[in-house]
Amino acid sequence: MKIEIWSDIMCPFCYIGKRQLETALEQFPNKEIEIEWKSFQLDPTITPQSGKDVYTFLAERKGMSIEQSKEMHKGVTERAKSVGLDYNFDKAIISNSFTAHRVIQLAKTKKLGDKMEEIFFKAYFTEGRDLNNGPTLIELAEKAGLDKEEVLKVLTDENLFSKEVEHDIKEAQEIGVQGVPFFVFDRKYAVSGAQPVEAFINTINEVLK
């Protein structure tokens, strides 16, 4: 079985969905299941916001108060905690995910896509790392097992792996993806959002019939 996942590393529900799927897959230890991560950007217009926290950023984007924004983030943090994830929105650094997606595309060519996704998710949501910072991206990519020089080439040449990112985003539009995470199972069934573990188990069972 092949599971394709459209995801943005700035999306808190994508990390939660990753954990939910992984928990579901534990019920199928003897099945060969390939995971392919697909690039998606919730907001491609985002630019680094020096000195601005995520609460203020979301409040301005959504036309809500900072108090409402904080309450919304608190709810997400609690949901993340329920699947074993530790979100620290106080430390999160707003950044555009396009370059990080290009690094993930490089990682996919080495069969390290899933590992790179995990490291980037944790870096952004838990550790408060700046994913628009070149040295940070290199450090995290090396942690996933990528070669420093190859990553440096990607960071210095904007053309490298840009088409792959854009292809994934275009493909998402073509199949009607409205938001992420979006999971496609063998191109037969789709699950949208960070669904409960049971929903993933039921979908996998349907595909395996």
Side-chain angles (χ1 to χ4, degrees):
M1 182 193 302
K2 182 174 183 179
I3 305 174
E4 297 162 282
I5 311 169
W6 275 266
S7 166
D8 192 353
I9 50 175
M10 307 297 169
C11 164
F13 297 105
C14 291
Y15 198 9
I16 294 169
K18 182 177 188 291
R19 276 296 180 276
Q20 302 280 56
L21 175 64
E22 288 167 347
T23 301
L25 290 176
E26 290 174 1
Q27 303 301 312
F28 304 90
N30 300 318
K31 300 297 181 182
E32 285 191 21
I33 298 175
E34 176 190 354
I35 304 289
E36 181 182 357
W37 289 90
K38 300 274 194 172
S39 301
F40 191 92
Q41 283 196 290
L42 287 171
D43 186 350
T45 69
I46 288 179
T47 55
Q49 309 278 320
S50 180
K52 185 178 289 184
D53 58 56
V54 294
Y55 308 120
T56 304
F57 178 76
L58 185 69
E60 292 175 354
R61 281 294 174 104
K62 300 293 186 182
M64 62 176 67
S65 69
I66 292 177
E67 288 71 26
Q68 288 174 314
S69 177
K70 286 184 175 180
E71 194 63 28
M72 186 177 292
H73 281 88
K74 181 182 177 183
V76 175
T77 299
E78 289 173 354
R79 185 170 176 191
K81 191 173 291 184
S82 73
V83 297
L85 298 175
D86 183 20
Y87 281 10
N88 292 311
F89 285 113
D90 288 346
K91 297 167 63 177
I93 298 173
I94 300 159
S95 53
N96 189 295
S97 60
F98 194 86
T99 301
H101 278 302
R102 292 196 297 118
V103 174
I104 292 167
Q105 293 288 345
L106 168 65
K108 283 167 64 175
T109 68
K110 316 289 185 182
K111 300 190 183 301
L112 294 170
D114 191 73
K115 193 171 183 180
M116 192 75 264
E117 286 277 347
E118 177 68 29
I119 288 171
F120 278 160
F121 275 137
K122 186 177 180 181
Y124 183 74
F125 288 107
T126 302
E127 300 168 348
R129 306 297 299 275
D130 184 356
L131 298 187
N132 267 155
N133 178 271
T136 298
L137 289 174
I138 291 172
E139 176 198 333
L140 295 172
E142 283 190 290
K143 191 175 178 182
L146 292 176
D147 178 74
K148 179 179 180 179
E149 293 305 317
E150 288 191 80
V151 179
L152 190 57
K153 284 181 183 178
V154 173
L155 297 184
T156 53
D157 185 350
E158 293 183 358
N159 291 316
L160 286 177
F161 295 103
S162 288
K163 287 183 179 179
E164 287 82 350
V165 175
E166 291 163 357
H167 176 270
D168 283 355
I169 293 171
K170 184 181 178 183
E171 192 177 16
Q173 294 168 345
E174 289 172 350
I175 64 176
V177 177
Q178 299 294 317
V180 289
F182 192 83
F183 305 81
V184 176
F185 298 77
D186 271 353
R187 293 285 167 137
K188 294 178 181 177
Y189 293 89
V191 172
S192 180
Q195 297 293 329
V197 173
E198 292 74 19
F200 287 117
I201 291 173
N202 292 338
T203 302
I204 294 168
N205 278 323
E206 283 297 317
V207 176
L208 292 174
K209 280 183 178 179

